[in-house]
Amino acid sequence: MLNTPIEVHALTPDRQPDFQAFFDGEAFADNPKWGFCYCQFLYVDHREVVWAQRTAETNRQAACARIGAGSMQGYLAYRQGKPVGWCNAAPRQLMDAFADAPDPDAARIGQIGCFVVAPGQRRTGVARALLDAACEGLAAQGLAIAEGCPVANARTDAQNHFGPISMFLSAGFTVHRTPGDGKVFVRRSLLV
């Protein structure tokens, strides 16, 4: 299966069952404590929501509602028709977690958030295929900047959930700012 091609598709309501199956199953097989997220962390304003009090069912329902409304975006990677990876990527203005960090370019930024790759699929090109699709999709929406926020010194796959910094740099991203919390904000122009 690892030698088979990777297909990447945008998250749409008809792909919601694949998203749910991936998150309910293999996505967090080696990191079950994060399994409750359903990639909702970036979609809530943490000044108003106590994240630690949210449940898996709350986040699952929120993901379903957002997918149905088109207010949650991202990309699913497949091998042989089975979902093996996910990348959360959307216009920054959809991600309320950034509400406390205003940016003059916010309306032009496509934010690339979490990467979730099935344990047996890691280091096989899945995350890079997702990153490439995310940049293409954000550009197609008319956004001018792709931004990621990898952890600078990540030592585990879990710590690399925002994507490895080396992957971003090899894809043409450059360091934009380092806020001092271990994250490095990287950006790439989407304008051709």
Side-chain angles (χ1 to χ4, degrees):
M1 184 170 176
L2 295 179
N3 294 331
T4 60
I6 301 165
E7 291 182 32
V8 179
H9 298 280
L11 179 64
T12 55
D14 63 312
R15 293 198 182 272
Q16 181 176 323
D18 291 344
F19 173 88
Q20 289 174 322
F22 182 60
F23 274 77
D24 289 343
E26 201 173 6
F28 295 102
D30 64 338
N31 191 11
K33 70 180 182 177
W34 286 5
F36 81 101
C37 180
Y38 288 87
C39 226
Q40 295 306 290
F41 185 81
L42 294 176
Y43 287 95
V44 298
D45 186 338
H46 294 272
R47 298 172 301 179
E48 299 174 7
V49 171
V50 179
W51 183 250
Q53 294 176 356
R54 293 194 46 123
T55 66
E57 188 55 31
T58 298
N59 287 331
R60 191 178 201 276
Q61 289 177 8
C64 291
R66 285 186 174 104
I67 293 167
S71 59
M72 178 177 176
Q73 297 180 19
Y75 297 85
L76 286 164
Y78 294 79
R79 275 203 163 120
Q80 295 181 326
K82 179 183 174 186
V84 296
W86 159 255
C87 173
N88 191 346
R92 183 176 176 152
Q93 293 182 315
L94 290 179
M95 296 185 175
D96 292 335
F98 293 98
D100 66 342
D103 188 300
D105 292 317
R108 302 174 30 175
I109 296 173
Q111 195 68 46
I112 299 171
C114 300
F115 288 83
V116 181
V117 178
Q121 298 288 323
R122 294 179 188 151
R123 294 168 191 77
T124 66
V126 173
R128 181 56 186 261
L130 287 164
L131 178 61
D132 292 345
C135 288
E136 288 175 26
L138 295 168
Q141 291 182 63
L143 297 163
I145 302 165
E147 180 176 82
C149 54
V151 176
N153 296 310
R155 293 197 168 110
T156 67
D157 288 340
Q159 290 173 340
N160 258 333
H161 68 285
F162 289 126
I165 192 167
S166 60
M167 176 182 69
F168 283 102
L169 296 176
S170 71
F173 285 73
T174 57
V175 174
H176 174 66
R177 64 184 172 94
T178 53
D181 60 357
K183 290 184 187 137
V184 177
F185 283 80
V186 294
R187 288 186 174 182
R188 182 178 114 183
S189 173
L190 296 174
L191 303 174
V192 280

